[in-house]
Amino acid sequence: MITLYDYDLSVNCYKQRLLMSLLDVDYESVPVDFFPGWEHKSEAFRKINPLGHIPVLVDGDYVLRDAHAILVYLAAKYDPSGRWYPTDDPELLGEVAQWMLFAEGTTNTASAARLHDNLGYEFDVDTLRAGAHRLFRVLDEHLWFREQEAGPDGPAWVAAAPHPTVADLAIFPDVMLSEEGGISRLDYPALRRWTDRVRRLDRFVLMPGIHPVSAERPGPGPMAAGRS
Amino acid sequence: MDASDQRCTDPTVLDLWHPLVAVSEMATDNVERTLLLGFEIMYGTDRDGTRFAVRVDEPDEALPVLDRHGYLWTSLGAPPADVFTIPETAEPDRRTLNAASIKVATSAPRAIENFLDMGHFPYVHTDYLGVEPHTEVAEYRVEIENDELWARDCFFYQPMAAASAVGGQLSEYTYRVPHPYCVMLYKSSPTDPSRSDVIGLFVQAMTQDTIRAHNFLSVIDETSSDTVLRRFQQIIFSQDKPILENQFPTRLPLDPRVETPIRADRSAIVYRRWLTELGLAYAVIPAG
């Protein structure tokens, strides 16, 4: 049985819960009193992760820390389709790795701003927000081009594949919860369409602060749809 | 943070007691800063264990402080003798703790009103405090008694009413607003239905548009760890947060014609009227 040292309000823990739900993998969640208990900084928890952060995944005797590394492990091990972490396609895999590193950036800017705004972390929030906007602009433009490549029938994902990869999941909650860090997504329409697509995946699960997308696909737009 | 344009001049609010921090989260011999009503506040515990708070711009004038219900309270005006009482917390087998103090970009009265609203349970707290098709808010009573707002006979079907709940239940709620920025609810405890769990939201109005919400818990539950109790309340509150942050205007309009209420909003109608009667002006849009 897999054990996830988990905190409901953590984006990095949510990334694991989301992938395990999408892959239909059973696991046990062990809640960590991250806030206000700071349990992840306790001596006991540092025996599990000397860096004192979550998530940590334990699978049998195997212990792994760091959110994006855990996504790689889970997909490589538990996705028989080989799509979420496409090891047999070097070019696609390179792209996935590139966007996983990009996700370190969104986590350290957008999600850090959220920790500042929600929990009072003492960060330079203006710098974090500016950094997040810089990354969101790049991603929004990238996703717009991906939509053009994919055409009207093919949903566009972060990496150039007709299906999502772990790169989408690594970035998704940082973007989806950005407003909790004072980072508006108003100027990023392609980013908003992509978050809708992620939320429409089969077996998608929520985290507190992320609400379901409307069940129906939006119509072709206000001009064509008219008033009803 | 510069919040000087947010400084409160409303005597009704200045004279209230306001929560600053959970006492269990205060480090000894350490001074911390926070914002209250637009004023920067320093607070802490002296070496001899005495709590203190001061305005940063008036560091020589000690503010009154009280240690009540697990929080440090202060006032920037002439406060009443004490904070409202919560008699239940005296029961010896009760567990009283702070679930979390979370900052939200909203006004204090918006947070109170959201806490009073049952209508959103099935949509925002799906599978916890409500689930479709059980969406009806039955008629309930609201009264002002002894300068407090009480809402009684509130019934709602809840799939998972508390951390200790096993299966759904028809929960009975009593709401109590003993302070313009503090609200509590009493609901029958899943582990001892003859008594009530008490859940509170004590709001620290940092400015008119930003708050720190102190999530108070006093429950009868011998088995759940503190982590599990906190977890449940943090999930519920974090589901509300984006809703609160997207309400416009942020400050609560007190004019009854500005936002159209439905029957289920009776407690909100009475709450707004009560704030008007108190003459409260901070973090609201006063009626005409």
Side-chain angles (χ1 to χ4, degrees), chain A residues 7-8 33 35 117-118, chain B residues 103 230-231 234 239 241:
Chain A
Y7 178 60
D8 290 272
D33 188 355
F35 184 84
D117 280 16
N118 291 4
Chain B
K103 291 201 286 177
R230 284 174 166 158
R231 174 175 181 260
Q234 291 186 13
Q239 290 170 337
K241 192 169 176 289

Side-chain angles (χ1 to χ4, degrees), chain B:
Chain B
M1 192 197 298
D2 181 29
S4 42
D5 62 331
Q6 290 270 6
R7 287 184 171 188
C8 179
T9 54
D10 171 7
T12 307
V13 173
L14 288 171
D15 288 348
L16 295 169
W17 287 105
H18 297 275
L20 290 179
V21 64
V23 167
S24 60
E25 292 161 36
M26 292 176 76
T28 39
D29 208 10
N30 182 37
V31 178
E32 297 196 63
R33 283 185 184 225
T34 189
L35 210 52
L36 176 66
L37 310 180
F39 293 92
E40 260 205 285
I41 305 290
M42 289 195 300
Y43 63 83
T45 311
D46 281 339
R47 287 203 185 94
D48 64 1
T50 312
R51 315 265 187 225
F52 67 87
V54 293
R55 269 170 53 176
V56 169
D57 62 338
E58 287 181 354
D60 297 330
E61 290 189 36
L63 295 170
V65 287
L66 280 176
D67 187 338
R68 292 288 183 275
H69 315 317
Y71 299 92
L72 182 70
W73 302 72
T74 192
S75 175
L76 305 184
D82 211 330
V83 176
F84 54 88
T85 58
I86 309 175
E88 291 78 8
T89 54
E91 296 168 13
D93 59 344
R94 202 173 263 281
R95 290 168 61 194
T96 299
L97 66 156
N98 180 40
S101 300
I102 297 180
K103 291 201 286 177
V104 189
T106 189
S107 65
R110 285 281 190 200
I112 300 301
E113 215 177 76
N114 178 74
F115 192 96
L116 290 170
D117 172 45
M118 287 179 285
H120 75 290
F121 287 172
Y123 310 105
V124 176
H125 307 297
T126 315
D127 298 334
Y128 288 91
L129 304 184
V131 67
E132 289 183 80
H134 306 278
T135 58
E136 193 197 351
V137 178
E139 198 102 39
Y140 57 93
R141 293 188 291 134
V142 189
E143 287 115 358
I144 305 287
E145 280 174 26
N146 305 320
D147 303 321
E148 299 188 352
L149 184 154
W150 286 79
R152 294 189 176 87
D153 302 337
C154 308
F155 288 94
F156 211 83
Y157 177 79
Q158 302 201 310
M160 187 180 174
S164 58
V166 182
Q169 64 177 48
L170 187 68
S171 297
E172 180 177 0
Y173 275 44
T174 297
Y175 288 100
R176 174 186 173 201
V177 190
H179 174 301
Y181 297 164
C182 295
V183 60
M184 281 179 278
L185 68 82
Y186 301 81
K187 68 200 273 191
S188 46
S189 169
T191 50
D192 180 357
S194 70
R195 290 190 289 162
S196 292
D197 285 343
V198 186
I199 299 162
L201 191 71
F202 303 158
V203 179
Q204 171 189 349
M206 298 175 70
T207 67
Q208 307 207 62
D209 310 304
T210 53
I211 65 166
R212 206 149 80 112
H214 303 283
N215 285 265
F216 167 89
L217 277 181
S218 184
V219 298
I220 299 138
D221 183 336
E222 285 177 10
T223 50
S224 305
S225 65
D226 284 2
T227 304
V228 168
L229 293 177
R230 284 174 166 158
R231 174 175 181 260
F232 185 82
Q233 211 50 43
Q234 291 186 13
I235 289 173
I236 300 299
F237 188 73
S238 302
Q239 290 170 337
D240 282 317
K241 192 169 176 289
I243 310 294
L244 284 169
E245 295 187 329
N246 282 295
Q247 285 177 336
F248 184 84
T250 305
R251 297 175 198 177
L252 189 72
L254 299 186
D255 186 330
R257 294 162 301 183
V258 172
E259 291 179 339
T260 311
I262 57 171
R263 195 187 61 183
D265 297 326
R266 181 151 171 70
S267 54
I269 297 165
V270 176
Y271 175 62
R272 292 183 189 201
R273 197 187 300 147
W274 182 56
L275 294 185
T276 298
E277 284 162 10
L278 292 173
L280 187 134
Y282 192 74
V284 298
I285 302 168

